[in-house]
């Protein structure tokens, strides 16, 4: 697999389209950090890291839906930086997703954080994805 982050986002996207409650994704440290950011920002209901004997393990993510309309909390997941074309930004050129309604998830020297946190810390990094 050349792009595990794109696979992670695609699995989430497919589970949302199929109205699944829980999705299971192979784990990595970067995927775990992205999952924590999604949980902190309220895009997912809950998550659980399961370790196996030989491998990194799995991430079980409970997706969040509106109880009345049954619409997902995540409208769109968009991969920005790809292995073939990395997208880096500095603190001054930080992207705003949907004029502040969405979040851009960045990999920085301070860890995996959102665009707003990166602006406050005055750090730049690689733009992994947009979520709204």
């Amino acid at each position: 697999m050349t792009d595990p982050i794109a696979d992670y986002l695609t699995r989430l996207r497919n589970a949302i389209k199929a109205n699944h409650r829980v999705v299971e994704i192979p784990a990595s440290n970067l995927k775990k950090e992205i999952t924590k950011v999604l949980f902190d920002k309220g895009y997912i209901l809950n998550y659980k890291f399961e370790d196996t004997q030989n491998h990194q393990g799995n991430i079980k993510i409970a997706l969040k839906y509106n109880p009345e309309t049954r619409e997902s909390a995540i409208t769109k997941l968009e991969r920005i930086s790809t292995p073939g074309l990395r997208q880096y930004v500095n603190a001054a050129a930080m992207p705003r997703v949907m004029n502040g309604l969405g979040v851009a998830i960045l990999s920085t020297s301070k860890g995996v954080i959102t665009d707003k946190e990166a602006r406050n810390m005055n750090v730049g990094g690689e733009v992994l994805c947009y979520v709204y």
Side-chain angles (χ1 to χ4, degrees):
M1 182 183 323
T2 54
D3 194 359
I5 303 304
D7 178 64
Y8 171 88
L9 296 175
T10 302
R11 285 176 190 245
L12 279 177
R13 212 177 293 121
N14 290 344
I16 290 167
K17 294 265 190 214
N19 288 324
H20 288 278
R21 293 281 172 212
V22 178
V23 61
E24 197 166 321
I25 300 170
S28 73
N29 290 334
L30 184 59
K31 291 179 194 176
K32 289 179 182 178
E33 293 301 315
I34 293 171
T35 304
K36 289 177 187 174
V37 170
L38 289 175
F39 178 72
D40 291 341
K41 295 302 167 191
Y43 286 108
I44 59 175
L45 196 61
N46 209 345
Y47 64 91
K48 181 179 177 185
F49 300 137
E50 294 180 340
D51 293 327
T52 58
Q53 297 290 0
N54 303 342
H55 304 288
Q56 284 263 355
N58 292 321
I59 306 170
K60 278 194 173 179
I61 299 174
L63 299 172
K64 190 177 195 178
Y65 294 97
N66 185 341
E68 293 138 15
T69 61
R70 295 186 180 170
E71 288 183 16
S72 173
I74 299 172
T75 307
K76 189 165 185 183
L77 292 163
E78 187 178 346
R79 178 77 160 123
I80 303 302
S81 184
T82 61
L85 183 62
R86 300 288 185 188
Q87 299 290 328
Y88 296 98
V89 294
N90 58 20
M94 199 61 61
R96 286 176 54 92
V97 181
M98 299 251 328
N99 205 18
L101 295 176
V103 294
I105 299 177
L106 288 93
S107 176
T108 66
S109 58
K110 306 284 185 189
V112 177
I113 57 176
T114 65
D115 55 336
K116 196 176 288 185
E117 293 166 346
R119 238 180 257 110
N120 291 341
M121 291 184 204
N122 198 29
V123 294
E126 181 183 357
V127 182
L128 298 175
C129 61
Y130 291 162
V131 183
Y132 52 92

